[in-house]
Amino acid sequence: MIEPIHIKDKYFEKYISESEIYSLLVEMASKIKSDYQSKDIVYLVVLKGAFIFASDIIREIGIESEVFFINASSYKSGLISSGNVELQIGPINVERRDILIIEDIVDSGRTMSALIKDLEKYKPNSVEIATFFSKPEERVADIRVKYIGIEIPSKFVIGYGLDYAEQGRYLKDIYVLTNHSI
Ligand code: IMP
Ligand code: MG
């Protein structure tokens, strides 16, 4: 049996392997590549969670592009989303360009909804979202997510950039929270 991962008072067990992640990523990247081939693509990577996914998918898409990073946080204490979205967008050069937001996971959709609203003032030509995970059952904000790696039920996951209380981002596979605590 594979040992569960133990972070603070929680246990996590393996959920999606590195190789499954890779095949989902390749499929997503090929769709994006054909859609953006003749566009002026600008990636907006949502830190921190999306940094690993972004580095993989941007290389897999493999087209000329510009990359900007923004900060978003809503999860304040581990598992529960605060509902309050904090965005930090530095100088971004996106006017009349085609923004592709790179996100790790769309949960309630509040972060993406706030970000898309904020981006209007930069006058982009288009804005779409590419997320590795989506939890459709949790959605409260009305947003359209064009590219999704995989839909998952309402479970808390870590690894591949995603954290529990800032830990577990380094894991190559995705792990899911188990029911037993310490
Ligand atoms: P939303 O605004 O509710 O859609 O929240 C999105 C953000 O919450 C994501 O960018 C993640 O940072 C975080 N988040 C949501 N679900 C999870 C999870 O299962 N594990 C780790 N972080 C998560
Ligand atoms: Mg995120």
Side-chain angles (χ1 to χ4, degrees):
M1 205 195 112
I2 308 161
E3 278 294 295
I5 299 244
H6 168 209
I7 298 177
K8 297 194 170 174
D9 57 338
K10 303 276 188 278
Y11 281 105
F12 296 85
E13 62 193 14
K14 204 154 161 182
Y15 187 45
I16 300 173
S17 72
E18 193 183 358
S19 63
E20 288 171 272
I21 293 172
Y22 185 67
S23 17
L24 293 166
L25 185 115
V26 167
E27 213 178 297
M28 271 181 106
S30 84
K31 285 197 198 104
I32 296 170
K33 184 174 183 165
S34 67
D35 290 353
Y36 283 85
Q37 200 74 258
S38 56
K39 292 189 176 167
D40 182 12
I41 191 168
V42 182
Y43 299 110
L44 273 197
V45 179
V46 185
L47 296 174
K48 297 176 186 170
F51 80 111
I52 293 177
F53 170 52
S55 75
D56 284 347
I57 194 133
I58 289 170
R59 285 178 297 168
E60 195 63 41
I61 296 166
I63 57 177
E64 205 46 75
S65 52
E66 195 170 347
V67 188
F68 293 104
F69 297 92
I70 62 162
N71 264 288
S73 52
S74 64
Y75 267 59
K76 282 294 168 228
S77 59
L79 300 174
I80 313 293
S81 173
S82 66
N84 272 327
V85 182
E86 277 173 41
L87 293 175
Q88 288 170 280
I89 308 176
I92 51 170
N93 165 25
V94 295
E95 198 172 323
R96 290 191 300 274
R97 305 178 79 187
D98 299 297
I99 298 180
L100 185 63
I101 299 169
I102 308 285
E103 174 64 309
D104 50 357
I105 185 162
V106 179
D107 187 15
S108 70
R110 287 192 190 99
T111 308
M112 287 301 99
S113 165
L115 176 58
I116 284 169
K117 244 179 230 120
D118 245 46
L119 290 173
E120 279 170 19
K121 62 172 178 276
Y122 296 91
K123 301 186 175 59
N125 183 50
S126 66
V127 182
E128 298 292 352
I129 301 167
T131 184
F132 189 77
F133 289 105
S134 174
K135 293 185 194 172
E137 292 161 13
E138 292 294 314
R139 208 58 48 80
V140 296
D142 181 24
I143 48 158
R144 187 171 65 100
V145 184
K146 188 154 185 192
Y147 307 99
I148 296 173
I150 186 170
E151 289 192 339
I152 58 169
S154 301
K155 291 178 171 180
F156 192 82
V157 290
I158 60 164
Y160 198 55
L162 290 142
D163 72 304
Y164 166 54
E166 292 301 324
Q167 295 187 37
R169 296 193 196 272
Y170 73 95
L171 296 163
K172 289 184 176 173
D173 306 297
I174 307 285
Y175 288 74
V176 64
L177 181 67
T178 66
N179 290 329
H180 52 274
S181 290
I182 294 169

